Amino acid sequence: MPDALLDALAEAEEVRPIDLALARALAERDPSEAVALAAVLASAVPREGHTAFLLGDWAGARPFGAGTRAPEAAAWREVLRRSPVVATPDDVAGGSLRPLVWVAGDAPEADRVALARHWRAERRLGERIASRLGEVPVDAEAVRPAFEALFPDPDGDRQALAAVGALRNRFAVVAGGPGTGKTTTVVKLLALLLTAEPDLDIRLAAPTGKAADRLGGSVAARAADLPVSEAVRERIPTEAVTLHRLLGYSPSRRRFLRDAASPLAADVVVLDEASMADLALFDALVGALRPEARLILLGDPDQLPSVGAGAVLGDLAATPTRAAIGSGLHALATSLGLGGFERAPEADPVADAVVHLTVSHRFAADSGIGALARAVNDGDEAAARAALSGAFPDVALLDADPETVWAFVRPQAEALCGDGLDRAATLAAVGATRVLAPTRGGTRGVHALNAFVERRLVDVGLRPSLYSRFYHGRPILVAANDYDLGLFNGDLGVVWARDGRPVVLFEDRDRGGVREVSPALLPEHETAWAMTVHKSQGSEFDRVLLVLPEAGTAQAERLTRELVYTAITRAKGGGEGVALGVAGDPGQLLVASRERVSGLRAALSASVTQADE
């Protein structure tokens, strides 16, 4: 029995009781230490976003500081291949219920091991997406008048190309960074679809309430100016909901009410901020769609992936080159007057369904924010340092000390905690400025930054005391969904106190303007002078201060390229003065991309190949 190994792993911070419980349960049928270690790893790595682990990443090492080394990859493969508790993909296809799945790679180092439920979810998702990749017949002449009105100069226009790609497929990805026109593209696409089929049932959704709110508002604003008939314009939906609400999540049953047996009636589903949805949520969404329904994903694959396991948008958008398109899409685009696009390799299973938008309309050529974001994505240290050298007025490199944070926050704090703003102006001010940190803990984490700001508020007389919890001007970040109140994870509010009675102001989504909520009714929430980069996803701010952790700390080790890029691009820019401050060692910006181990792309390719045979 692997008791000594498991006892040693129990001391590791990364290992939880559920991981050990799985390993001990499997040891009753297979007492091998190699299998026990595989079980612990397969159970633990999803908390870091992976859906599997590679033997080569752990072979010969002492995982989590355990005294026993993991086997070399070739020996580990043989143990797993013979184990009665480990299945191969063929075993699972044949009905095996073994808890671990081992997938052989080209070499033992490339072998993947996953929990069976994650392997099955990736396989289902791959099969369902592959079934939507078949071409939907498009009458180019019938859509040409509307297409030409919406895209009067389409040659070389990647927004027009993305709309064509979504016309051609029942599955489409419109990928791009901030300001590249993803929402504009999908609004025009919906107008095209409604021109051809006026009675389409179209649903708009996003992973969070904040993102859903922004999507609905953006669609409404762009639909108002479309060169289409009033009848088409009125049919474009402007209300978006969270994925949980779309699928009818039941907390008491802990499952979605919409599934393959009770599918959504929607003909088209548009999912914005798709990078934030994990494997389980994608599996539930695609499983709840009717076979003939269209699914259109909008998102930035360079942003942070989901908090949960999987990097679905990143996997689906990972075309060999972002400029190239598939031959089928190329042919339809050519028939509609679009030219100048490179063809992708025929082996790419999603080349006809994925279009990357590459021109940012938010960050101009002389934008320091745009230059820094590109440098981070490219891993270009010289370009990153140049962007922070003072050459751009919208970006500044600052000292990472508490006074820097206070100097950044103070104008906002004086406005919020003072008496000079009305309710609407106060709500606008709370969403204009934000301090971002990669982690909650550490001397430069969110907890420490918020505590420091709140102490300084007392020092300068903007807060009565450290014991006044709901003080006037306190920014509130909602941390849990409350559908009865209409408050969602990520919503920003602000305490408004007059005559000794505090209320919390939030945007009124239904009627516009401002609404008040009693502090006693608030769902889980926290102070938000500073917030984590993860919590800022889906939001934009006029001014952002990114506080980097101290080099060499555990917090610094959590930095990834995706996290840094996401933080940088939360700043909107376009105004006067510094829109993005970076406090800390600029060398930390050039961290590596931390790719998640996943089997979705392989599952999709296998499903496409099987369908073609």
Side-chain angles (χ1 to χ4, degrees):
M1 295 291 287
D3 291 339
L5 170 66
L6 297 180
D7 288 344
L9 289 174
E11 302 299 318
E13 180 181 349
E14 300 89 342
V15 177
R16 296 184 181 174
I18 192 171
D19 311 327
L20 301 170
L22 173 63
R24 293 188 193 281
L26 299 190
E28 295 179 4
R29 294 186 59 200
D30 186 337
S32 164
E33 283 194 347
V35 171
L37 181 56
V40 169
L41 289 171
S43 179
V45 296
R47 291 193 291 275
E48 293 297 320
H50 308 288
T51 60
F53 75 89
L54 297 176
L55 295 190
D57 287 343
W58 300 90
R62 290 188 173 90
F64 310 129
T68 305
R69 288 188 181 274
E72 294 302 325
W76 206 350
R77 167 190 272 188
E78 286 306 305
V79 174
L80 295 172
R81 185 177 62 83
R82 296 192 304 267
S83 175
V85 298
V86 180
T88 66
D90 289 340
D91 292 333
V92 178
S96 170
L97 297 178
R98 300 174 194 177
L100 299 181
V101 176
W102 160 67
V103 183
D106 295 335
E109 290 76 12
D111 289 4
R112 293 196 320 274
V113 180
L115 295 176
R117 63 186 176 89
H118 285 145
W119 186 89
R120 287 194 294 266
E122 288 182 332
R123 190 60 182 258
R124 278 194 305 269
L125 187 56
E127 290 172 349
R128 287 165 172 165
I129 290 176
S131 71
R132 286 179 157 75
L133 291 177
E135 180 177 1
V136 177
V138 176
D139 186 340
E141 294 306 314
V143 301
R144 187 181 299 278
F147 182 82
E148 290 178 347
L150 291 164
F151 299 100
D153 187 19
D155 200 38
D157 183 349
R158 297 193 72 83
Q159 291 187 16
L161 181 67
V164 171
L167 275 178
R168 185 184 182 276
N169 292 282
R170 286 174 296 147
F171 170 77
V173 178
V174 182
T180 52
K182 298 184 292 294
T183 308
T184 298
T185 301
V186 81
V187 171
K188 292 182 178 181
L189 165 64
L190 296 181
L192 284 175
L193 291 173
L194 288 167
T195 299
E197 300 180 64
D199 295 326
L200 286 175
D201 183 337
I202 301 171
R203 312 287 180 89
L204 306 179
T208 68
K210 182 68 173 179
D213 185 46
R214 286 190 59 217
L215 173 62
S218 297
V219 169
R222 287 160 176 78
D225 298 325
L226 289 181
V228 295
S229 70
E230 190 63 28
V232 168
R233 190 179 294 111
E234 288 180 351
R235 293 287 296 167
I236 297 174
T238 57
E239 180 182 357
V241 298
T242 64
L243 273 177
H244 281 75
R245 174 163 281 190
L246 178 72
L247 299 177
Y249 182 70
S250 170
S252 60
R253 301 182 186 181
R254 300 190 69 179
R255 69 178 184 88
F256 295 105
L257 302 181
R258 294 298 182 186
D259 54 21
S262 181
L264 287 165
D267 299 305
V268 181
V269 172
V270 176
L271 175 62
D272 194 18
E273 296 289 354
S275 64
M276 299 170 69
D278 62 15
L279 173 63
L281 205 48
F282 260 107
D283 185 36
L285 170 62
V286 179
L289 298 179
R290 294 180 296 120
E292 63 272 23
R294 294 176 183 265
L295 175 61
I296 302 167
L297 306 180
L298 311 179
D300 185 349
D302 294 324
Q303 278 192 23
L304 277 167
S306 61
V307 174
V312 177
L313 180 67
D315 288 338
L316 296 174
T319 48
T321 168
R322 295 189 173 186
I325 60 175
S327 58
L329 175 55
H330 191 278
L332 178 58
T334 301
S335 72
L336 288 168
L338 281 78
F341 298 111
E342 175 188 351
R343 293 193 190 189
E346 294 297 327
D348 183 9
V350 294
D352 282 328
V354 178
V355 173
H356 289 269
L357 306 181
T358 56
V359 177
S360 176
H361 303 281
R362 180 190 301 176
F363 303 132
D366 59 351
S367 161
I369 298 172
L372 185 58
R374 288 190 297 272
V376 166
N377 267 346
D378 295 341
D380 188 336
E381 182 174 359
R385 291 187 180 277
L388 292 166
S389 66
F392 297 98
D394 58 335
V395 174
L397 180 63
L398 305 170
D399 292 333
D401 61 60
E403 292 308 314
T404 296
V405 175
W406 175 239
F408 179 84
V409 170
R410 184 166 187 164
Q412 181 191 37
E414 290 176 341
L416 291 177
C417 298
D419 297 328
L421 301 180
D422 61 19
R423 297 191 317 160
T426 298
L427 195 57
V430 80
T433 299
R434 193 64 61 233
V435 178
L436 299 181
T439 63
R440 302 176 72 82
T443 57
R444 298 181 189 171
V446 165
H447 290 317
L449 294 172
N450 277 322
F452 170 75
V453 170
E454 293 200 305
R455 288 195 300 271
R456 292 308 304 267
L457 293 176
V458 175
D459 294 341
V460 300
L462 292 173
R463 179 186 179 187
S465 76
L466 289 175
Y467 302 102
S468 55
R469 185 180 177 199
F470 287 101
Y471 57 89
H472 178 68
R474 176 193 174 197
I476 295 287
L477 177 67
V478 176
N481 294 337
D482 187 321
Y483 290 101
D484 292 333
L485 279 177
L487 294 177
F488 302 99
N489 185 10
D491 282 353
L492 271 172
V494 59
V495 176
W496 174 271
R498 286 293 179 267
D499 301 322
R501 186 180 71 89
V503 294
V504 184
L505 308 181
F506 290 97
E507 181 181 355
D508 190 329
R509 292 187 175 91
D510 296 328
R511 292 173 295 182
V514 181
R515 68 188 181 107
E516 298 181 355
V517 176
S518 168
L521 297 178
L522 285 178
E524 183 182 347
H525 60 278
E526 56 195 57
T527 302
W529 297 109
M531 67 169 61
T532 63
V533 179
H534 277 90
K535 287 286 188 180
S536 74
Q537 249 183 307
S539 298
E540 299 172 349
F541 306 99
D542 294 334
R543 299 173 65 239
V544 167
L545 175 66
L546 170 59
V547 180
L548 296 170
E550 293 179 277
T553 62
Q555 289 74 33
E557 293 177 0
R558 299 180 67 85
L559 285 175
T560 66
R561 180 177 300 175
E562 294 82 2
L563 188 147
V564 171
Y565 169 84
T566 300
I568 291 169
T569 55
R570 294 315 87 201
K572 288 191 292 189
E576 296 183 0
V578 175
L580 172 68
V582 177
D585 177 7
Q588 292 189 80
L589 297 176
L590 276 300
V591 288
S593 178
R594 192 171 298 168
E595 294 186 6
R596 295 186 171 187
V597 178
S598 161
L600 177 58
R601 191 72 180 193
L604 178 58
S605 297
S607 298
V608 170
T609 301
Q610 186 175 5
D612 291 340
E613 292 176 350

